[in-house]
Amino acid sequence: MLSSSFRRGTGVVGRHLSQQYRCMGTAKSFHIDTPENTVETKFDFTEENYERVKKILGKYPTNYKQSGIIPLLDLAQRQHGGWLPVAAMDKVAQIVEAAPTRVYEVASFYTMFNRTKVGKYFIQLCGTTPCMICGSEDIKRTIEDHLGIQNGQTTPDGMFTLLEVECLGACANAPMIQMNDDYYECLTPETTIQLLEKCKANDVPVMGKWGSLPMNGQVSCEGPLGKTSLTWKEPVPAAVAVDRFKDGTVDPSTVKKHMAY
């Protein structure tokens, strides 16, 4: 059962707001019924993802299953094509043995969760000051003109959704977008169009060594002279003793007791 505050969108308010907009990082905190997203909609994890559910819950004490709400919502969103129907939130609540309202609170608080359908390529355009100064408005106009959509809209073929958001933490390589999980940085109108066309052809550029892709050819945040500092070799991680659990596994729920908490 949806909480009264979360289901407001099914009433008068909901009839006038047919789509969620999260312009500049804000989101509606209530649910809006759509034909594909009602309390009667069915959702369940696949067998493969149920194995992942077990691994996620295995990281927490059995009496703290609710600690797994965020990773389980993320898993559900990925399975469901990048967005969370109410039924998926209800399934997570059932698994962690929490009231559904607790899960709705999490899903409506974090902007990483999309509670309305998004396109195959979900473009989040940073519009905060550094990106704005470096040309994010030009990038926004380029995307809107090239795809024929406005901020908060999805193309008719379901391929692209555009949303302007707050800072994504890549200020050194502004302007930039986050598309699904990946960062595309140092954009110009020309490279933005190239990126969109590659996505249309299902030929998405591969991320660089450091997990992002500056579209001007540079490596990560390096300047035109390349890497000029911190030039030592990458540190080698410390070795972990393979027999550290030789006497049996550790039950996290007993840690407080052994530490006299």
Side-chain angles (χ1 to χ4, degrees):
M1 178 67 70
L2 288 172
S3 67
S4 59
S5 59
F6 194 73
R7 66 169 182 262
R8 280 192 339 176
T10 60
V12 176
V13 176
R15 290 199 294 270
H16 292 284
L17 299 171
S18 59
Q19 185 174 2
Q20 167 189 318
Y21 292 86
R22 199 174 67 230
C23 181
M24 303 306 287
T26 61
K28 291 179 175 60
S29 59
F30 51 84
H31 168 70
I32 300 172
D33 266 354
T34 62
E36 58 202 351
N37 187 14
T38 68
V39 291
E40 289 80 22
T41 306
K42 302 298 182 184
F43 174 89
D44 202 357
F45 286 107
T46 63
E47 290 185 10
E48 181 181 3
N49 277 342
Y50 264 118
E51 291 302 314
R52 294 189 173 99
V53 168
K54 292 179 182 178
K55 289 182 179 180
I56 290 171
L57 294 181
K59 298 177 181 180
Y60 309 104
T62 55
N63 54 328
Y64 286 102
K65 287 184 179 180
Q66 295 184 32
S67 300
I69 287 178
I70 289 179
L72 290 178
L73 285 175
D74 180 68
L75 181 63
Q77 178 165 278
R78 292 175 187 278
Q79 176 180 312
H80 198 69
W83 67 285
L84 283 170
V86 172
M89 299 182 231
D90 289 342
K91 175 57 66 174
V92 169
Q94 178 186 353
I95 290 173
V96 301
E97 300 175 4
T101 303
R102 295 300 185 190
V103 179
Y104 304 156
E105 289 171 347
V106 174
S108 60
F109 179 82
Y110 291 102
T111 58
M112 64 184 282
F113 298 123
N114 307 307
R115 292 178 288 108
T116 55
K117 193 172 184 178
V118 297
K120 178 180 179 180
Y121 299 108
F122 180 31
I123 301 170
Q124 297 182 80
L125 169 74
C126 179
T128 313
T129 306
C131 279
M132 182 183 66
I133 292 173
C134 292
S136 67
E137 288 298 310
D138 293 335
I139 304 304
K140 180 180 177 181
R141 281 191 293 270
T142 298
I143 296 172
E144 290 178 339
D145 293 344
H146 194 71
L147 297 180
I149 57 175
Q150 300 295 311
N151 180 41
Q153 295 181 345
T154 300
T155 55
D157 60 2
M159 285 287 286
F160 297 93
T161 296
L162 172 63
L163 192 66
E164 185 176 1
V165 299
E166 287 289 358
C167 183
L168 291 170
C171 308
N173 287 352
M176 58 80 65
I177 63 169
Q178 177 181 342
M179 188 166 66
N180 296 343
D181 290 332
D182 298 328
Y183 276 25
Y184 296 90
E185 305 163 343
C186 303
L187 293 168
T188 65
E190 293 75 22
T191 56
T192 300
I193 292 175
Q194 292 172 14
L195 176 60
L196 295 176
E197 287 301 309
K198 281 185 171 292
C199 291
K200 289 180 180 180
N202 288 317
D203 183 24
V204 183
V206 179
M207 288 290 97
K209 176 182 179 181
W210 302 109
S212 64
L213 184 63
M215 297 296 286
N216 63 351
Q218 75 182 42
V219 178
S220 186
C221 298
E222 294 179 5
L225 298 180
K227 192 172 184 178
T228 59
S229 60
L230 305 179
T231 54
W232 58 77
K233 293 182 179 180
E234 296 180 21
V236 178
V240 177
V242 295
D243 61 346
R244 62 195 187 280
F245 296 137
K246 63 180 180 180
D247 296 327
T249 58
V250 176
D251 181 3
S253 64
T254 67
V255 170
K256 288 185 178 180
K257 177 181 178 181
H258 292 307
M259 295 184 71
Y261 278 9

